[in-house]
């Protein structure tokens, strides 16, 4: 039983219908109900975690494995040779459903979409010294 007020837990529990394409012990994948492109697929952990940092390593590995296996299959199913794969990880990043989900969006040359870089208006000025300091700080936090 998942979170009763979570739409994706309700999909896992079969209380809400979905166009499921894959399921194993830890992971489920289904078509997005409002696809950005034909074949737009969501991959979710079956257990409820709001954001990536809440997921145990094994669940993260299962999501990664499913992404690796499913992305090329999803692409092939709609005749695409590429996909944009992304996770809105937290409300500030645009996550609307607080149950971790990875988007696999098939891409074609004429779809008028951009790269992940196009989400942002530009690049902030960050000097090399600052990058060095930041890298060291992140490294020591891991
Ligand atoms: P996000 O902004 O990353 O939280 O994206 C949530 C995604 O879930 C959107 O792309 C929605 O179209 C999709 N979505 C919402 N409800 C459903 C549903 N019942 N079945 C499939 N996809 C859904
Ligand atoms: Zn949930």
């Amino acid at each position: 039983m998942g979170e009763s007020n979570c739409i994706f837990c309700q999909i896992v529990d079969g209380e809400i219908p979905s166009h499921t394409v894959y399921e194993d012990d830890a992971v489920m994948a289904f078509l997005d109900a409002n696809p950005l492109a034909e074949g737009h697929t969501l991959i979710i952990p079956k257990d409820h975690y709001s954001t990536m940092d809440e997921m145990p390593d094994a669940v993260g590995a299962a999501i990664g494995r499913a992404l690796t296996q499913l992305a090329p299959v999803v692409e092939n199913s709609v005749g695409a040779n590429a996909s944009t794969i992304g996770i809105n990880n937290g409300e500030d990043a645009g996550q609307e459903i607080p149950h971790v989900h990875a988007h696999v969006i098939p891409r074609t040359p004429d779809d008028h979409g951009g790269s992940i870089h196009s989400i942002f208006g530009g690049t902030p000025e960050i000097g090399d010294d600052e990058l060095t300091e930041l890298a060291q700080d992140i490294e020591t936090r891991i």
Side-chain angles (χ1 to χ4, degrees):
M1 282 288 276
E3 302 269 317
S4 58
N5 59 352
C6 170
I7 199 165
F8 286 173
C9 283
Q10 289 170 340
I11 285 177
V12 171
D13 291 339
E15 292 163 9
I16 291 180
S18 69
H19 297 285
T20 304
V21 301
Y22 176 79
E23 191 171 359
D24 63 28
D25 286 350
V27 166
M28 190 169 171
F30 48 87
L31 297 181
D32 195 292
N34 299 293
L36 293 169
E38 197 184 6
H40 182 169
T41 299
L42 301 177
I43 296 173
I44 70 167
K46 281 185 163 176
D47 290 336
H48 182 92
Y49 305 103
S50 299
T51 48
M52 296 276 287
D53 55 295
E54 294 180 3
M55 291 196 306
D57 287 351
V59 177
I63 293 284
R65 204 164 45 239
L67 274 170
T68 310
Q69 289 175 351
L70 287 181
V73 177
V74 167
E75 289 171 17
N76 288 342
S77 72
V78 295
N81 290 314
S83 51
T84 293
I85 296 174
I87 295 175
N88 295 322
N89 191 38
E91 200 175 347
D92 290 350
Q95 183 179 4
E96 290 186 354
I97 298 189
H99 180 133
V100 171
H101 50 282
H103 296 257
V104 177
I105 307 164
R107 300 298 305 272
T108 50
D110 55 355
D111 65 11
H112 304 297
S115 71
I116 285 174
H117 289 69
S118 66
I119 296 171
F120 297 85
T123 50
E125 287 294 325
I126 301 176
D128 204 47
D129 288 350
E130 209 178 327
L131 290 180
T132 302
E133 204 176 305
L134 187 57
Q136 281 168 355
D137 181 59
I138 292 170
E139 196 176 21
T140 55
R141 287 169 189 262
I142 293 171

